Amino acid sequence: MPPRQATHDTASDASATAATTSELEAGHSTPGAPIQLLPQDALHNVLGRLSLREALACRPVCRLLRDALSSSPFLSSLPPLRLLALRHPRSSANGGGRDSHGSCLQAFDPSLRRWIRLPLLFLPFPSSSPVTASPSLLYLWVDAAAASTGDAKIPRTLAVCNPLSGSHRLLPPLGSAWSRHGTVLAGPGGAVLVLTQLAALAYSPGSDRWLKFSLNLPSKPRSPVLMAGAIFALCDVGTPWRSLWRLFSCRLLDLGEWASLKRPEWGDVLNILKRPRLLAGAGGGRILMIGGLRSSLDADAPCSTVLILRLDLQTMEWDEAGRMPPEMYHCFGGRGLGHVAAAGGANNKVKVFGGDGRVWFSGRRVRGKLAMWEEDDKGGCGVWSWVDGVPGCNEGGYRGFVFDAGFSAMP
């Protein structure tokens, strides 16, 4: 079966624009329209069958629907939109995680296979860079102090917002080292963690400060993931000449108390991949590990493809979840994750991101599109496809994260 392609739904965009224009011109529904004659409970019964996407599309139609579909209890009861929020390749350099006008966040809807834009005009900051998300909440590094003082040297801080409701809030300030080198994880109930090589900062909603914990890990945690009430991360316990990876975990309530997860039956499973990364699998009970499949355990062994392994947290058993098709792998340079092309010193690192059973791949040699893998719930090897039409600058090297857009939480 040929890979599926993503498209832009221009017809839907035109309908939305027309509906918005109609609302601005009319401002209300036609007097005596049949929908106005429905009792409130019947109207809510009908509207309650809409998806969140459909409810948002109906709001601009008329004042009646706008009022009925704007109540927080109703919107929060609708299932969220599961999206891939995209980070621009230059976001780490200039803080630009939005589009060229700084007004929108680009996102991909896997269910419709189309790109959408989430307006961020309500944010009063000169620049912002999205880093992670929790249900309904988006976390961004922002230049909050620069917005008020004009001093670009003041460290950035974290902000949390709900793009659908247009609300935001600043978190307590952080030092410059945390904003430059920290990995941000969003936990349940609005909790936030920032991890570096030696320590972690934890924030709980309602607090006015961050709490600091020592990590007590042998090296900087690589690609930490937060799931099932715990943090899982890879650490390199090898030498400067040869990496040796170990899997560590720590309960969210006991930060600093890390334990190595190692089973004799695992063998060298953690070291058959080059530059492995962790992502959350589908269902919240499985971890995915993605990397270039080494042809041998030699430090400079070439890679033959990209392999996705899956760890069941209940049985603690690994299995193969997916393997990138050869023709797709060759589009990325065919030399594995982390390869640096010799010609001109061009950086050909492949970016791996996603979560909840979906993995996306981007690279400088694959411009304007992403490779996508979707986990098979029946235990198969998953489905591979191309996602075309990546918006913005055609540079490749994008990153991103899963974002459940909705109204279940507010900043």
Side-chain angles (χ1 to χ4, degrees), residues 260-331:
S260 176
L261 299 180
K262 186 178 180 181
R263 301 290 187 274
E265 58 270 21
W266 288 3
D268 292 319
V269 68
L270 296 178
N271 294 290
I272 64 174
L273 301 183
K274 185 175 182 180
R275 294 182 60 83
R277 295 192 64 86
L278 300 180
L279 288 174
R286 294 175 288 192
I287 295 177
L288 303 177
M289 185 170 68
I290 307 99
L293 177 61
R294 298 177 182 271
S295 57
S296 72
L297 292 179
D298 294 339
D300 57 349
C303 298
S304 58
T305 187
V306 172
L307 185 66
I308 302 176
L309 299 178
R310 177 172 48 207
L311 174 64
D312 190 311
L313 294 179
Q314 290 187 342
T315 63
M316 298 304 290
E317 294 179 351
W318 291 94
D319 72 317
E320 180 178 330
R323 188 176 299 219
M324 183 177 286
E327 62 276 11
M328 181 178 286
Y329 177 68
H330 291 152
C331 293

Side-chain angles (χ1 to χ4, degrees), residues 6-291:
T7 60
H8 292 271
D9 193 342
T10 55
S12 297
D13 294 341
S15 296
T17 303
T20 303
T21 304
S22 175
E23 178 197 19
L24 293 176
E25 293 177 352
H28 53 80
S29 57
T30 304
I35 194 173
Q36 290 185 325
L37 304 179
L38 286 177
Q40 284 296 316
D41 55 346
L43 178 62
H44 290 162
N45 190 322
V46 173
L47 298 180
R49 303 172 188 270
L50 300 176
S51 66
L52 180 57
R53 182 187 298 104
E54 293 167 336
L56 295 177
C58 288
R59 283 202 299 185
V61 172
C62 65
R63 183 175 300 173
L64 175 67
L65 292 182
R66 183 186 62 194
D67 295 341
L69 295 172
S70 297
S71 64
S72 297
F74 174 78
L75 291 174
S76 62
S77 67
L78 299 178
L81 303 177
R82 177 144 295 175
L83 306 172
L84 169 70
L86 200 64
R87 299 180 63 184
H88 194 277
R90 298 179 181 178
S91 63
S92 60
N94 62 11
R98 314 189 216 175
D99 68 359
S100 58
H101 302 289
S103 60
C104 294
L105 176 73
Q106 303 286 359
F108 178 69
D109 186 340
S111 63
L112 296 180
R113 298 190 67 83
R114 58 170 293 198
W115 292 94
I116 63 175
R117 294 185 298 171
L118 299 180
L120 296 177
L121 284 169
F122 60 90
L123 294 176
F125 312 113
S127 66
S128 62
S129 176
V131 288
T132 190
S134 63
S136 300
L137 299 178
L138 181 69
Y139 294 84
L140 316 92
W141 288 113
V142 300
D143 295 322
S148 57
T149 65
D151 187 355
K153 296 182 180 180
I154 297 179
R156 294 186 296 170
T157 189
L158 276 172
V160 56
C161 74
N162 185 316
L164 300 185
S165 68
S167 55
H168 78 281
R169 175 172 58 89
L170 285 175
L171 301 186
L174 291 164
S176 59
W178 297 95
S179 61
R180 288 198 304 266
H181 308 294
T183 300
V184 184
L185 300 177
V192 185
L193 300 174
V194 183
L195 279 65
T196 61
Q197 181 171 351
L198 300 176
L201 292 181
Y203 169 80
S204 298
S207 175
D208 61 351
R209 62 177 59 88
W210 296 83
L211 299 179
K212 188 174 182 180
F213 300 85
S214 176
L215 285 186
N216 298 318
L217 286 172
S219 65
K220 182 179 180 180
R222 177 173 174 79
S223 62
V225 295
L226 178 57
M227 55 185 300
I231 307 171
F232 299 86
L234 293 169
C235 285
D236 188 355
V237 298
T239 67
W241 303 274
R242 181 184 177 87
S243 296
L244 187 63
W245 297 101
R246 291 288 182 268
L247 181 62
F248 288 81
S249 70
C250 172
R251 290 182 59 204
L252 188 57
L253 299 179
D254 296 318
L255 287 176
E257 301 295 328
W258 293 83
S260 176
L261 299 180
K262 186 178 180 181
R263 301 290 187 274
E265 58 270 21
W266 288 3
D268 292 319
V269 68
L270 296 178
N271 294 290
I272 64 174
L273 301 183
K274 185 175 182 180
R275 294 182 60 83
R277 295 192 64 86
L278 300 180
L279 288 174
R286 294 175 288 192
I287 295 177
L288 303 177
M289 185 170 68
I290 307 99

Side-chain angles (χ1 to χ4, degrees), residues 354-370:
D356 196 52
R358 288 191 178 99
V359 184
W360 285 270
F361 302 83
S362 70
R364 291 186 180 276
R365 292 194 178 185
V366 183
R367 300 192 176 191
K369 61 181 180 180
L370 307 172

